Amino acid sequence: MGKGNVCLAFLWKGILTLGLVVFFYIFSIGITFYNKRLLRNFHFPLFMTLVHMAMIFVMSAVSRIIMQCCTKRSRVVLSWTEYLKRVAPTALATALDIGLSNWSFLYITVSLYTMTKSTCVLFILFFSLLFKLEELRAVLILVVLLIAGGLFMFTYESTQFNVEGFLLVLAASFLGGIRWTLTQILLQKAELGLQNPIDAMYHFQPLMFLGLFPLFLTIEGLHVATSEKLFRYSNLDLLLSLLGTLSLGGFLAFGLGFSEFLLVSKTSSLTLSIAGIFKELCTLQLATHLMGDEMTLLNWLGFAVCISGITLHVSLKACRSKGNLQRVTRSRP
């Protein structure tokens, strides 16, 4: 291959990666601001989440049918035993993670949500150590201190701090740690055949819906049933507009899962992790300009400290992956 062809291939790879990152940003950042704006006037975050789950299930089911017609191969369908044993714990943690995250938007700003949700890395580390997916090292303690210290600086004397919303998103981050640890374990079981996100979303959504539904009934059920915006509507146009807006969120949620898969499959999980770091910065910048979030110098310093901890964690994962790859290469005859 000539030097020109190598440069052209490298350029094409860079353009493709950039395009996939932008595609991921559109859905990831888009759904964050969508949720916050919608919940300013529509105070039923759990109902909204259930609608999104139902839409994701329908779209993933349709996608599976299209994929089956195009490839002429049947899609994976888990047995009830495998489904309830393997998928149910992950689906429940995922449902509560998303539900509490959306609920927190009733009380906190996008910037505080973004910063607090970043602590999910701490809980992922904790559960990775608990399930022996990671080995305890001194540098991991530094990662924990940087992220926790950054969060403290970000929330210290914050003028827009809300305890209830902060605790909700912190609980969501804790559940997110369980969610992603269980997801990693689940995806490592290749025999289940859930590596494709369309198949994973198709199997997850029913259990996620059932897992969140009791909480919805307890917190919002009566209010939704008597709301003039939904079941007791008086204006059909406003109802259809609301349903259209809720459907947009379902589309964004489906697109987020699909864009993450594209980015990982065409590049690597490391690219997704690095893109996630810069996504947080973009989200905070947009929050200050679009939503009027107030950010002091101490807040920005706290964000920088937290991001440095996340960056260190990503770098450690990259070095470990490279070391594992070299060992595998050397062991081959």
Side-chain angles (χ1 to χ4, degrees):
M1 184 182 289
K3 189 175 181 180
N5 290 335
V6 172
C7 292
L8 189 62
F10 183 78
L11 179 62
W12 168 246
K13 182 69 173 178
I15 294 173
L16 177 64
T17 301
L18 180 61
L20 291 173
V21 168
V22 171
F23 188 57
F24 164 65
Y25 278 11
I26 289 172
F27 288 106
S28 183
I29 297 175
I31 198 169
T32 299
F33 286 94
Y34 159 87
N35 287 338
K36 180 61 179 177
R37 283 194 176 275
L38 176 61
L39 293 174
R40 281 180 170 180
N41 301 312
F42 184 76
H43 299 156
F44 305 118
L46 299 181
F47 177 79
M48 177 192 74
T49 307
L50 290 176
V51 172
H52 292 175
M53 290 175 180
M55 284 200 61
I56 293 172
F57 176 73
V58 171
M59 285 189 283
S60 58
V62 172
S63 299
R64 276 166 57 94
I65 293 172
I66 295 173
M67 291 165 65
Q68 186 167 326
C69 292
C70 293
T71 61
K72 306 299 181 183
R73 290 186 297 177
S74 60
R75 308 304 303 176
V76 61
V77 177
L78 297 181
S79 66
W80 280 107
T81 303
E82 289 287 346
Y83 188 47
L84 295 176
K85 181 180 178 182
R86 305 288 188 183
V87 177
T90 309
L92 180 59
T94 303
L96 292 175
D97 175 16
I98 297 172
L100 294 183
S101 294
N102 289 339
W103 192 358
S104 71
F105 277 122
L106 290 178
Y107 309 102
I108 61 174
T109 61
V110 171
S111 56
L112 181 56
Y113 166 83
T114 301
M115 185 65 185
T116 309
K117 206 68 168 69
S118 299
T119 61
C120 184
V121 175
L122 295 180
F123 298 112
I124 292 174
L125 276 176
F126 172 76
F127 287 109
S128 295
L129 291 170
L130 186 65
F131 290 110
K132 301 187 185 302
L133 299 175
E134 289 266 7
E135 293 181 3
L136 182 60
R137 291 167 290 168
V139 71
L140 291 181
I141 298 175
L142 178 60
V143 169
V144 170
L145 291 175
L146 286 172
I147 297 175
L151 179 63
F152 176 77
M153 293 170 64
F154 190 88
T155 56
Y156 182 72
E157 293 186 351
S158 174
T159 57
Q160 296 177 303
F161 182 77
N162 180 282
V163 175
E164 189 173 359
F166 175 74
L167 292 177
L168 278 171
V169 74
L170 197 61
S173 295
F174 174 81
L175 290 164
I178 300 175
R179 166 194 179 182
W180 291 114
T181 305
L182 292 178
T183 300
Q184 180 181 346
I185 295 172
L186 191 67
L187 294 181
Q188 285 176 349
K189 298 182 182 299
E191 68 273 10
L192 293 178
L194 295 181
Q195 283 71 28
N196 188 303
I198 302 295
D199 294 324
M201 287 189 285
Y202 173 81
H203 283 85
F204 274 38
Q205 300 312 308
L207 288 176
M208 288 171 60
F209 188 97
L210 293 174
L212 191 63
F213 193 73
L215 185 63
F216 157 73
L217 282 182
T218 305
I219 305 297
E220 297 177 359
L222 182 61
H223 301 291
V224 170
T226 57
S227 172
E228 294 183 356
K229 292 183 178 180
L230 290 167
F231 295 105
R232 297 185 64 186
Y233 69 92
S234 56
N235 188 318
L236 181 60
D237 291 337
L238 290 178
L239 175 64
L240 293 176
S241 176
L242 175 60
L243 293 177
T245 305
L246 288 171
S247 299
L248 174 61
F251 171 75
L252 289 172
F254 178 81
L256 175 59
F258 189 68
S259 63
E260 286 177 337
F261 167 73
L262 277 180
L263 185 57
V264 172
S265 62
K266 298 297 182 182
T267 56
S268 66
S269 59
L270 177 61
T271 303
L272 178 63
S273 300
I274 295 172
I277 294 172
F278 288 100
K279 186 204 73 175
E280 311 291 14
L281 178 60
C282 294
T283 303
L284 288 184
Q285 288 284 1
L286 289 171
T288 57
H289 289 90
L290 299 179
M291 310 296 287
D293 290 9
E294 298 174 8
M295 295 278 290
T296 65
L297 178 60
L298 184 62
N299 294 152
W300 282 113
L301 286 173
F303 173 73
V305 171
C306 184
I307 288 298
S308 66
I310 296 173
T311 304
L312 177 59
H313 176 60
V314 171
S315 301
L316 290 172
K317 286 177 63 179
C319 293
R320 191 177 64 175
S321 298
K322 185 177 180 181
N324 291 338
L325 181 61
Q326 289 176 342
R327 283 195 295 271
V328 170
T329 303
R330 288 170 184 167
S331 64
R332 289 176 179 172

